[in-house]
Amino acid sequence: MAKRTFSTLEIFLIFLLVLMTAITVALLSLLFITSGTIENHKDLGSPATQSPPAPPGSTAPPAPPGSTAPQGSTRTQGSTTTQSSPATTTPQPPLFQNFSGYHIGAGRADCTGQVADISLMGYGKVGQNARGILTRLYSRAFAIMEPDGSNRMVFVSIDIGMVSQRLRLEVLNRLQSKYGSLYRRDNVVLSGTHTHSGPAGFFQYTLFVIASEGFSNRTFEYIVNGIVKSIEIAHRNMKPGKIFINKGNVDGVQINRSPYSYLQNPPTERARYSSNTDKEMVVLKMVDLNGSDLGLISWFAIHPVSMNNSNHLVNSDNMGYASYLFEQEKNKGYLPGQGPYVAAFASSNLGDVSPNILGPHCINTGESCDNANSSCPIGGGSTCIAMGPGRDMVDSAQIIGQTIYQRAKELYASASQEVTGPLASAHQWVNMTDVTIWINSTHTAKTCKPALGYSFAAGTIDGFGTLNFTQGTTVGSPFLETIRDQILGKPSEEIKECQKPKPILLHTGELSKPHPWHPDIVDVQIITLGPVAITAIPGEFTTMSGRRFREAVQAEFATYGMQNMTVVISGLCNVYTHYITTYEEYQVQRYEAASTIYGPHTLSAYIKLFRVLAKAIATDTVANLSSGPEPPFFKQLMLPLIPNAVDRAPTGKTFGDVLQPLKPTYRKGEVAEVTFVGANPKNSAENKTHQTFLTVEKYEATSTTWHIVHNDASWETRFYWHKGLLGHSNATIQWHIPDTAQPGLYRIRYFGHNRKQNFLKPAVILSFESTSSTFEVVTT
């Protein structure tokens, strides 16, 4: 395409952006305590422990019907640390071995982390930070073992944007401390659902640290503890059972957001498929030997971006809503996030798949912008936005999630094909910057050092970039390159040649201050469960990339005697490396191609590497595989750019006091809203005295108790935090009263933590709670 010119305003904005980048890099160099320090990742501490959730229907002290509860707050002092003494390994009970099936355990644990003063991970939009919570985030783990205990595996689906290398290394370290060699790098898969509404801050590579505005140890520990706890629960819950598999299409929830790229693939290849997205859902149903339900894992290709980049509430998006519905269905009488049944809706080859099914339109004219550059005549790419089917983004997430849940429910109910056979696993670390592949019988090609193209900065129709870059850019800007070269240095001729036709915006593979900007060492991993092969992909395959990959791995298994394998792509696993397009899609350099960091032959390299693992499993030669070069674990990382601040209540008020009371009466379908004197919610990720920021409680006259009907994991509630000046803040709680609500008396409770610091003394975090006035829900 022709070279792009920039307006005076855009040049000024770009100059400011580059200036900010230079300042950020300088701050990074100053704030990193140890630059380039790597350690062996040993003895990094034991996981913190959490008290178990309150049983369903737990009660609070009663108040007489019709009375007004105290408007003040009840204060208890909480510790500023959640670290406990090292856990001791509990011996497993004797195994029951004489049965057909597997030992199966499922576990779920909270991994929400900070819900304020932290960036949300996914869109990379400046200013999109967390300001409250719509739903909690969970880690869902499944431990599966052969009857004789000889081989086992763990699959974990986590409500986060992606799994970082630092998360995985820390989780593996803690599992080794607790279980020895039971759970290892080869038989543990960690997969992110790819919600774009979870907290950032848990990465170690510099590009992601900058995007996260620092490393948040508070959130990192919270997520690690949640993952480890979910695995511990699954391990403890293992019992003899059976697994069944089913597959089926899901219609009406996807579009391809880069159809122009998809059309670059050979016509003969495209003719083999009826759609430009993968519609098939794979479901694993887990039951005990009595047929009682234990859990579900579903894999389906869709981006959890129904919640767009204007959202500020932490939530699990459409796939999380599917999990919520399935678990509520199976865990009758339990609050969300509680109960024994676990349903994971995991990611797959979602790279070019959007849930915003109304498609891209120019928001200023209404005309379609489904073109090669996703650009509008007025406003360019920043006004070309795809919309979901609902009246707002929450409604869209629920509509998409409901459809996915309903189809999974049907497949689960009709699943009859039992999964049988041995468990096996294979893993290697590989240097993805130096993989050689054969193009044909005489010519080879190599992967590249990481780099991001111009279209990376353009974003997508699900969330445009901060500056007005355009998708499909194949020619660089001399002006921008001059500024980049002055700040970051010139990219080498080698990386420019290797990455062609990508015009390089950021040569991240050649940037190492204060730490490398992108990973070189990447995990490749396969776990086989009888005829099912779970491939752990460290990024986002596009639709056609996933199809080629599945076909190649299945053929490799078949070559060595394992026929008719079901190859499952599990996305966003173990370490994040952005996107993987086909060679043909790479040539037109839309967002996904510009974000294929290891160059045009990345997909071919992954196919080669995973075929090696498949062959090793099929020929029982996994023991002969080399482990590969171990990835780094950087000892110290940049502190968050948003500092901790002391919380303050207004004069004459205390934390939890009601500022805006509820009305005395509400109808179904209305929103009950109350505002309290608040404190920074990030304190609650450090002191976990309370398991929720809110409860909605109904008065039960027969028992004269208040019964909890909703918590902050419920999709019917919202918790908004409004940050003021000098440590002042408010907290607003909403209950969107559903049609299923029973008439009667209700109240809303707020649970928080405030940071207090006296002169020359360390800060302490104190817990408090408060209760609204009583209100009535009526039918008319």
Side-chain angles (χ1 to χ4, degrees), residues 10 36 38 59 70 137 170 180-181 185 228 244 256 262 284 289 331 353 371-372 399 408 510 578-579 604 661 761:
E10 287 180 319
I38 303 174
T59 59
L137 307 179
E170 180 67 5
S181 62
R185 60 183 173 83
V228 172
F244 299 89
N256 191 306
Y262 181 86
L284 293 184
L289 294 183
N331 294 319
V353 185
N371 53 54
I399 290 171
E510 296 180 333
H578 296 264
Y579 286 74
S604 296
K761 291 187 176 180

Side-chain angles (χ1 to χ4, degrees), residues 530-553:
V532 179
I534 301 170
T535 60
I537 306 302
E540 307 176 50
F541 275 163
T542 60
T543 297
M544 193 62 85
S545 291
R547 288 168 174 168
R548 290 185 191 176
F549 175 86
R550 276 194 300 259
E551 191 172 71
V553 174

Side-chain angles (χ1 to χ4, degrees), residues 110-327:
D110 178 25
C111 65
T112 305
Q114 282 180 231
V115 301
D117 275 356
I118 195 167
S119 296
L120 296 180
M121 189 63 203
Y123 290 108
K125 181 182 178 182
V126 176
Q128 193 194 6
N129 50 2
R131 301 176 191 169
I133 184 170
L134 172 58
T135 67
R136 290 216 160 249
L137 307 179
Y138 291 101
S139 173
R140 295 174 170 90
F142 302 85
I144 303 171
M145 183 173 63
E146 292 178 350
D148 63 0
S150 57
N151 293 301
R152 67 178 69 211
M153 62 163 278
V154 168
F155 178 84
V156 189
S157 177
I158 313 149
D159 289 331
I160 54 177
M162 60 285 290
V163 174
S164 75
Q165 191 172 76
R166 191 178 189 87
L167 272 181
R168 175 167 165 85
L169 291 173
E170 180 67 5
V171 167
L172 290 175
N173 184 63
R174 296 191 186 185
L175 291 176
Q176 183 182 29
S177 297
K178 186 174 180 66
Y179 297 108
S181 62
L182 285 183
Y183 300 114
R184 311 170 303 273
R185 60 183 173 83
D186 65 296
N187 66 0
V188 174
V189 174
L190 305 182
S191 173
T193 62
H194 204 38
T195 175
H196 285 42
S197 297
F202 52 90
F203 299 86
Q204 69 173 4
Y205 291 100
T206 299
L207 183 81
F208 304 127
V209 173
I210 293 173
S212 302
E213 298 179 2
F215 175 78
S216 170
N217 193 61
R218 181 187 291 110
T219 286
F220 177 78
E221 286 291 322
Y222 204 114
I223 296 173
V224 169
N225 291 338
I227 295 170
V228 172
K229 183 178 179 181
S230 68
I231 295 172
E232 290 172 348
I233 295 170
H235 174 85
R236 189 168 60 244
N237 286 346
M238 276 198 290
K239 62 173 67 174
K242 293 181 180 293
I243 299 175
F244 299 89
I245 188 171
N246 205 358
K247 307 171 191 175
N249 285 358
V250 185
D251 295 315
V253 296
Q254 310 161 303
I255 61 168
N256 191 306
R257 70 184 187 187
S258 284
Y260 181 75
S261 295
Y262 181 86
L263 288 173
Q264 306 310 305
N265 294 305
T268 53
E269 182 179 36
R270 289 186 278 113
R272 296 168 52 199
Y273 304 100
S274 60
S275 172
N276 61 5
T277 61
D278 272 348
K279 296 180 178 294
E280 186 176 74
M281 172 186 285
V282 178
V283 167
L284 293 184
K285 173 182 180 178
M286 304 176 194
V287 298
D288 67 17
L289 294 183
N290 296 320
S292 298
D293 294 316
L294 297 177
L296 160 146
I297 309 175
S298 163
W299 287 275
F300 181 63
I302 190 169
H303 251 86
V305 290
S306 294
M307 303 293 293
N308 61 43
N309 64 8
S310 68
N311 169 60
H312 291 278
L313 297 182
V314 167
N315 69 86
S316 53
D317 213 293
N318 45 44
M319 295 291 264
Y321 188 62
S323 288
Y324 170 85
L325 292 175
F326 216 113
E327 290 178 349

Side-chain angles (χ1 to χ4, degrees), residues 214-508:
F215 175 78
S216 170
N217 193 61
R218 181 187 291 110
T219 286
F220 177 78
E221 286 291 322
Y222 204 114
I223 296 173
V224 169
N225 291 338
I227 295 170
V228 172
K229 183 178 179 181
S230 68
I231 295 172
E232 290 172 348
I233 295 170
H235 174 85
R236 189 168 60 244
N237 286 346
M238 276 198 290
K239 62 173 67 174
K242 293 181 180 293
I243 299 175
F244 299 89
I245 188 171
N246 205 358
K247 307 171 191 175
N249 285 358
V250 185
D251 295 315
V253 296
Q254 310 161 303
I255 61 168
N256 191 306
R257 70 184 187 187
S258 284
Y260 181 75
S261 295
Y262 181 86
L263 288 173
Q264 306 310 305
N265 294 305
T268 53
E269 182 179 36
R270 289 186 278 113
R272 296 168 52 199
Y273 304 100
S274 60
S275 172
N276 61 5
T277 61
D278 272 348
K279 296 180 178 294
E280 186 176 74
M281 172 186 285
V282 178
V283 167
L284 293 184
K285 173 182 180 178
M286 304 176 194
V287 298
D288 67 17
L289 294 183
N290 296 320
S292 298
D293 294 316
L294 297 177
L296 160 146
I297 309 175
S298 163
W299 287 275
F300 181 63
I302 190 169
H303 251 86
V305 290
S306 294
M307 303 293 293
N308 61 43
N309 64 8
S310 68
N311 169 60
H312 291 278
L313 297 182
V314 167
N315 69 86
S316 53
D317 213 293
N318 45 44
M319 295 291 264
Y321 188 62
S323 288
Y324 170 85
L325 292 175
F326 216 113
E327 290 178 349
Q328 287 293 96
E329 170 72 23
K330 295 295 184 181
N331 294 319
K332 296 289 188 183
Y334 285 89
L335 290 171
Q338 300 178 17
Y341 188 87
V342 181
F345 284 76
S347 58
S348 190
N349 55 319
L350 47 66
D352 53 358
V353 185
S354 170
N356 296 312
I357 57 177
L358 298 187
H361 291 82
C362 301
I363 57 175
N364 46 11
T365 65
E367 63 183 290
S368 173
C369 50
D370 190 8
N371 53 54
N373 306 112
S374 296
S375 184
C376 295
I378 302 173
S382 64
T383 55
C384 181
I385 306 296
M387 306 297 287
R391 61 183 180 275
D392 56 36
M393 56 183 166
V394 175
D395 191 38
S396 290
Q398 292 179 316
I399 290 171
I400 298 296
Q402 170 78 34
T403 303
I404 293 170
Y405 151 74
Q406 190 61 45
R407 187 63 175 125
K409 184 178 177 181
E410 294 167 359
L411 294 172
Y412 186 90
S414 60
S416 59
Q417 180 184 343
E418 186 176 356
V419 174
T420 60
L423 274 168
S425 58
H427 171 279
Q428 284 186 308
W429 286 306
V430 296
N431 184 348
M432 274 302 294
T433 72
D434 190 27
V435 179
T436 300
I437 59 105
W438 285 92
I439 298 174
N440 52 42
S441 60
T442 58
H443 289 79
T444 62
K446 287 182 63 176
T447 52
C448 314
K449 291 180 180 179
L452 291 164
Y454 277 64
S455 297
F456 162 77
T460 73
I461 60 173
D462 295 323
F464 58 88
T466 304
L467 292 175
N468 197 19
F469 284 81
T470 303
Q471 291 201 67
T473 299
T474 55
V475 178
S477 161
F479 171 72
L480 287 180
E481 289 171 1
T482 299
I483 297 174
R484 177 204 60 204
D485 295 349
Q486 291 298 316
I487 301 296
L488 300 174
K490 283 186 175 183
S492 67
E493 291 302 317
E494 176 190 0
I495 196 171
K496 288 195 290 186
E497 185 67 28
C498 187
Q499 291 276 353
K500 281 184 177 179
K502 178 191 292 179
I504 294 175
L505 181 65
L506 290 172
H507 48 303
T508 53

